[in-house]
Amino acid sequence: MAKDILEKPESFYKVFERKSGSNKLTSHYCPGCGHGVIHKLIAEAMDEFGIGNRSVFISPVGCSVFAYYYFDCGNIQAPHGRAPAVATGVKRALPDSIVVSYQGDGDLAGIGGNEILHAANRGENITVFFVNNAIYGMTGSQMAPTTLIGQKTTTTPYGRSVKNEGYPIKVCELLSSLEAPVYLERVAITDAKNVMKARKAIRKGLQNQVEGKGFSLIEILSPCPTGWGVKPVEAKKWVEEVLAKNFQLGVIKDKTAEAVPEVIEQKKFTSEEISKILGASKNGSDFLYDKPDVKTNYQNPRIKISGFGGQGILFLGQLLSQSAMRSGYHTTWLPSYGPEMRGGTANCHVIISNNRIGSPLVTETDVLFAMNLPSLDKFENDVRKDGLILVNSSLINRNVKRNDVEVLYVPATELADEVGNTKATNLVMLGAYAAKSKIFSHDCVLFTANETVKRKEFLKVNEEAFRKGMEYVLNNKQKENKEYDSVIFN
Amino acid sequence: MSELNLEMVNEDPNPVKKKHNARVEIDGELCKECLLCIEVCAPDVLKVSESLNKMGYHPVEYIGDGCTGCGVCFYVCPEPGVIRVFKKNKVA
């Protein structure tokens, strides 16, 4: 079915509304730029396969950063070199989509070399159009990984030397050593014959994805008259006579025939199924525990939990946050990750609030869980006046120096030992805090603990530890806090 | 599938001997004067206009006769909407 009229493909917008300035009918590319031709070929192929309404075009960094001005399909602009990673995400989330990663040589072979290597190695079912003009065009024609030996650029004014800058990277050949890629071809935007070859390759690259065959990359040698400082017709000749002699044209790898099409099966879940998977009731609200009445001083706490790595600091924070969620509070949990995961000191920030939370970072602290001495030393002064400090008195052999804060001394490690597991120290502290602040109901915390703890054999110990902590607070009222009411728990 | 007929491209253009019922339309206001189309036009029926367009380029124009409808100019043109090729001279 030959078309009688060759004209602007329908996969282009009729008017480029996103483009700034008054001229919304021409591209922003320089006269004679290869991008325009390649865009046209891609748009034509999109028309032909009828995939415009399910295509997602990933624009890179470079002159084609504005590809979303032109293509009437889904568009995302990715950070420099990261288009294959973004494409991977889109393709996996939306397996029915046709994802096009469009990248230049500085983008793909330079800063994004790692990204493309791994996307290709995973055999992502995406189509990559790799536009190679042997320089960084947009930024002012600096040397790119694909710059030819001896080629003068603004950063290699005497020509690229092997000794100084190494050899040009041949991306197709490099990727062809990997098992996964299905189709790798190098074409050039030069004369009619080569443009038609490029057209065919671009169509095949997209067709492979439509058929679910896997990773295709089309490297397109493309003129950059402005960057090279020559006229468009000379630039075209240079591609033909120099660039294409250094980068061999043709199919580098083609497993299209034997590639087994991946059956794309996107699971569709009903809302009931999703609720079941998440362990939530359908509307969620009947799964919330009641918010107890909380004394003003204990409302909306900004909590810092600190101790040795391995004391369950981050987990304690998670339990607090999860219980808060189950009680209908707003909450955030901000762990400090670092080399202290085992052995050093660890801390995390938890905010529980009746109101929406701006930043998860806790600076002025309402409640401090000091699980060891260094933590108390470090964070004691961050606690606000009339704030609460929970001290693990098993490991901290000094009193809190401040006298304007409320302090709860809990021999948490010893109490945990009594229930048979030193590691349950964190649950003892949680019990103490729950009893003190009454911010969650008892049931809520235990439910959350059951839900969160992965190793179910610890459930019983955890529950006992939690009760120990609670009872300790209820039974041994601290001398310093005589004004504190009696705590009643159901 | 509008495959290019490369024989058409390479044939000796002689509009007197062979009559092609095709034509090309060029929107001069969008043309950036890269001249790639003139370079590839086998029947040599495109030329640079003497007038300027709003962008300040001398746009390419069709001399009005002799187009074979091969479509090469359409494919080498980097601009999306400048060139339209009517292969059988249908009314637009």
Side-chain angles (χ1 to χ4, degrees):
Chain A
M1 190 187 71
K3 275 190 288 184
D4 290 335
I5 305 172
L6 292 175
E7 58 185 340
K8 186 175 170 180
E10 284 175 11
S11 292
F12 281 135
Y13 288 112
K14 285 203 169 54
V15 179
F16 306 134
E17 295 289 353
R18 289 172 178 155
K19 197 180 163 223
S20 57
S22 59
N23 189 344
K24 294 187 188 298
L25 291 171
T26 61
S27 70
H28 69 289
Y29 297 119
C30 308
C33 174
H35 280 308
V37 177
I38 299 164
H39 281 19
K40 195 184 271 182
L41 296 176
I42 294 173
E44 196 192 44
M46 281 180 172
D47 279 7
E48 205 168 290
F49 294 122
I51 53 174
N53 58 354
R54 61 183 175 117
S55 293
V56 180
F57 196 101
I58 318 285
S59 312
V61 169
C63 289
S64 51
V65 65
F66 293 130
Y68 57 85
Y69 285 171
Y70 311 115
F71 286 93
D72 188 1
C73 64
N75 286 283
I76 298 177
Q77 198 280 311
H80 206 188
R82 273 64 195 166
V86 176
T88 300
V90 173
K91 186 68 184 183
R92 291 194 177 194
L94 303 167
D96 288 337
S97 61
I98 301 299
V99 185
V100 174
S101 175
Y102 187 102
Q103 301 179 264
D105 50 336
D107 186 271
L108 184 140
I111 191 166
N114 195 22
E115 308 279 336
I116 192 64
L117 197 64
H118 288 285
N121 192 42
R122 293 191 304 268
E124 297 293 342
N125 186 23
I126 58 173
T127 310
V128 181
F129 297 118
F130 168 41
V131 182
N132 180 356
N133 61 13
I135 49 160
Y136 278 84
M138 185 189 77
T139 48
S141 46
Q142 293 86 352
M143 191 202 87
T146 46
T147 297
L148 302 179
I149 297 160
Q151 187 182 342
K152 286 181 181 172
T153 69
T154 48
T155 46
T156 53
Y158 304 110
R160 179 179 187 159
S161 81
V162 171
K163 202 174 173 191
N164 219 30
E165 288 94 22
Y167 292 90
I169 293 178
K170 296 178 176 175
V171 171
C172 278
E173 283 81 351
L174 187 72
L175 296 183
S176 70
S177 70
L178 302 172
E179 283 297 320
V182 166
Y183 176 53
L184 304 168
E185 179 166 357
R186 188 181 287 119
V187 294
I189 299 298
T190 56
D191 58 357
K193 206 172 159 187
N194 275 325
V195 171
M196 285 305 112
K197 279 186 182 169
R199 181 168 172 266
K200 204 175 152 199
I202 285 170
R203 280 165 47 174
K204 188 167 175 183
L206 284 173
Q207 192 177 0
N208 283 348
Q209 188 182 166
V210 171
E211 292 172 2
K213 287 189 171 167
F215 183 88
S216 303
L217 181 141
I218 322 298
E219 178 173 343
I220 305 158
L221 304 182
S222 169
C224 181
T226 306
W228 299 343
V230 293
K231 286 181 177 159
V233 174
E234 292 164 32
K236 189 197 85 170
K237 288 203 173 107
W238 194 77
V239 174
E240 205 167 80
E241 290 164 9
V242 182
L243 205 52
K245 295 285 176 292
N246 284 272
F247 292 99
Q248 183 205 344
L249 299 183
V251 177
I252 311 293
K253 181 174 183 178
D254 189 357
K255 292 201 301 184
T256 314
E258 65 261 38
V260 182
E262 185 193 357
V263 182
I264 299 167
E265 202 177 303
Q266 195 173 21
K267 251 189 163 175
K268 299 259 192 281
F269 295 103
T270 63
S271 60
E272 281 83 9
E273 282 170 324
I274 292 171
S275 302
K276 203 179 161 193
I277 292 164
L278 296 176
S281 61
K282 197 180 167 194
N283 61 17
S285 61
D286 55 304
F287 215 71
L288 291 181
Y289 288 88
D290 291 338
K291 275 189 209 171
D293 285 337
V294 184
K295 272 177 70 179
T296 321
N297 195 35
Y298 298 138
Q299 278 176 7
N300 305 335
R302 291 160 297 169
I303 304 168
K304 208 172 264 173
I305 307 166
S306 181
F308 289 124
Q311 275 185 313
I313 305 297
L314 304 190
F315 181 67
L316 175 52
Q318 271 182 334
L319 277 181
L320 277 170
S321 233
Q322 295 271 2
S323 305
M325 258 193 277
R326 282 282 180 216
S327 304
Y329 292 104
H330 294 276
T331 183
T332 57
W333 171 73
L334 183 72
S336 84
Y337 281 109
E340 64 269 278
M341 288 291 271
R342 296 281 182 274
T345 57
N347 73 75
C348 75
H349 299 188
V350 173
I351 299 178
I352 299 172
S353 178
N354 288 310
N355 311 310
R356 286 167 68 179
I357 297 164
S359 163
L361 197 69
V362 173
T363 44
E364 200 193 27
T365 312
D366 297 315
V367 180
L368 171 67
F369 284 72
M371 303 285 274
N372 65 1
L373 185 60
S375 303
L376 186 63
D377 292 343
K378 195 171 173 190
F379 295 118
E380 184 178 343
N381 290 328
D382 294 347
V383 179
R384 72 162 163 84
K385 191 176 171 296
D386 297 324
L388 173 67
I389 301 181
L390 289 106
V391 176
N392 178 10
S393 56
S394 309
L395 299 186
I396 298 174
N397 55 4
R398 73 164 171 90
N399 286 340
V400 173
K401 288 171 190 160
R402 290 175 56 180
N403 50 17
D404 58 345
V405 293
E406 196 178 355
V407 185
L408 206 55
Y409 295 96
V410 184
T413 308
E414 288 156 59
L415 291 173
D417 273 344
E418 281 176 28
V419 302
N421 193 339
T422 317
K423 282 186 175 172
T425 309
N426 51 359
L427 267 291
V428 176
M429 289 297 261
L430 181 61
Y433 177 64
K436 183 78 180 168
S437 68
K438 292 190 286 177
I439 197 158
F440 323 113
S441 74
H442 179 179
D443 292 341
C444 174
V445 179
L446 285 181
F447 178 86
T448 313
N450 285 358
E451 209 180 32
T452 317
V453 174
K454 289 188 194 91
R455 293 170 67 178
K456 298 299 175 197
E457 66 266 29
F458 290 134
L459 284 180
K460 203 163 170 295
V461 172
N462 280 336
E463 189 173 341
E464 279 175 34
F466 179 73
R467 280 183 204 286
K468 276 270 183 201
M470 249 178 39
E471 283 160 13
Y472 184 83
V473 171
L474 300 180
N475 302 335
N476 303 281
K477 281 215 216 150
Q478 307 275 311
K479 282 175 199 160
E480 299 92 323
N481 300 303
K482 274 180 187 162
E483 79 286 0
Y484 187 63
D485 323 342
S486 59
V487 179
I488 299 154
F489 260 95
N490 300 322
Chain B
M1 319 285 148
S2 48
E3 286 293 344
L4 265 197
N5 188 342
L6 289 173
E7 283 172 17
M8 271 190 194
V9 179
N10 297 328
E11 81 184 308
D12 184 16
N14 194 337
V16 181
K17 278 181 194 166
K18 266 190 178 176
K19 202 80 182 160
H20 289 284
N21 207 13
R23 69 192 161 87
V24 56
E25 275 184 11
I26 295 172
D27 187 339
E29 279 308 310
L30 310 182
C31 175
K32 290 178 180 169
E33 201 190 337
C34 70
L35 309 182
L36 291 173
C37 54
I38 295 185
E39 163 87 6
V40 297
C41 181
D44 203 10
V45 294
L46 302 174
K47 69 178 176 76
V48 186
S49 166
E50 281 172 19
S51 62
L52 284 171
N53 67 14
K54 276 183 200 151
M55 293 187 284
Y57 296 111
H58 290 280
V60 168
E61 59 187 19
Y62 178 39
I63 61 169
D65 191 29
C67 174
T68 61
C70 70
V72 172
C73 57
F74 171 78
Y75 284 109
V76 300
C77 175
E79 279 300 315
V82 174
I83 297 182
R84 299 167 89 194
V85 178
F86 297 80
K87 291 185 172 179
K88 290 180 183 167
N89 203 15
K90 280 190 178 172
V91 179

Short mmCIF file of all heavy atoms in Angstrom, two decimals, chain A residues 44 97 141 170 209 225 250 322:
data_model
loop_
_atom_site.label_atom_id
_atom_site.label_comp_id
_atom_site.label_asym_id
_atom_site.label_seq_id
_atom_site.Cartn_x
_atom_site.Cartn_y
_atom_site.Cartn_z
N GLU A 44 7.23 8.63 11.16
CA GLU A 44 6.60 7.89 10.06
C GLU A 44 6.38 6.43 10.45
O GLU A 44 5.32 5.85 10.20
CB GLU A 44 7.49 7.98 8.82
CG GLU A 44 6.79 7.59 7.56
CD GLU A 44 7.75 7.39 6.40
OE1 GLU A 44 8.83 6.77 6.60
OE2 GLU A 44 7.44 7.84 5.31
N SER A 97 3.23 -0.41 26.46
CA SER A 97 3.71 0.80 25.81
C SER A 97 4.89 0.49 24.90
O SER A 97 5.56 -0.52 25.06
CB SER A 97 4.12 1.83 26.88
OG SER A 97 5.16 1.30 27.66
N SER A 141 30.42 21.56 20.76
CA SER A 141 31.30 20.64 20.04
C SER A 141 32.59 20.26 20.77
O SER A 141 33.69 20.41 20.26
CB SER A 141 31.62 21.15 18.63
OG SER A 141 31.97 22.50 18.63
N LYS A 170 33.09 2.20 19.86
CA LYS A 170 32.12 1.70 18.88
C LYS A 170 31.02 0.98 19.64
O LYS A 170 31.15 -0.17 20.03
CB LYS A 170 32.81 0.79 17.88
CG LYS A 170 33.84 1.56 17.08
CD LYS A 170 34.60 0.71 16.11
CE LYS A 170 35.54 1.61 15.31
NZ LYS A 170 36.41 0.85 14.41
N GLN A 209 10.14 -4.32 19.03
CA GLN A 209 9.52 -4.05 20.33
C GLN A 209 8.02 -4.35 20.30
O GLN A 209 7.48 -4.90 21.25
CB GLN A 209 9.75 -2.58 20.73
CG GLN A 209 9.31 -2.32 22.14
CD GLN A 209 9.48 -0.88 22.59
OE1 GLN A 209 8.93 -0.49 23.60
NE2 GLN A 209 10.25 -0.08 21.89
N PRO A 225 26.12 20.12 11.22
CA PRO A 225 26.82 21.17 10.48
C PRO A 225 27.32 22.29 11.38
O PRO A 225 28.44 22.77 11.22
CB PRO A 225 25.75 21.69 9.51
CG PRO A 225 24.69 20.64 9.47
CD PRO A 225 24.74 19.91 10.76
N GLY A 250 26.04 -1.01 8.70
CA GLY A 250 25.45 -2.33 8.47
C GLY A 250 24.94 -2.97 9.74
O GLY A 250 25.03 -2.40 10.83
N GLN A 322 4.30 2.87 61.89
CA GLN A 322 3.22 1.99 61.44
C GLN A 322 2.03 2.08 62.39
O GLN A 322 0.88 2.13 61.93
CB GLN A 322 3.71 0.54 61.40
CG GLN A 322 4.82 0.28 60.40
CD GLN A 322 4.27 -0.09 59.03
OE1 GLN A 322 3.07 -0.10 58.83
NE2 GLN A 322 5.16 -0.37 58.08
#
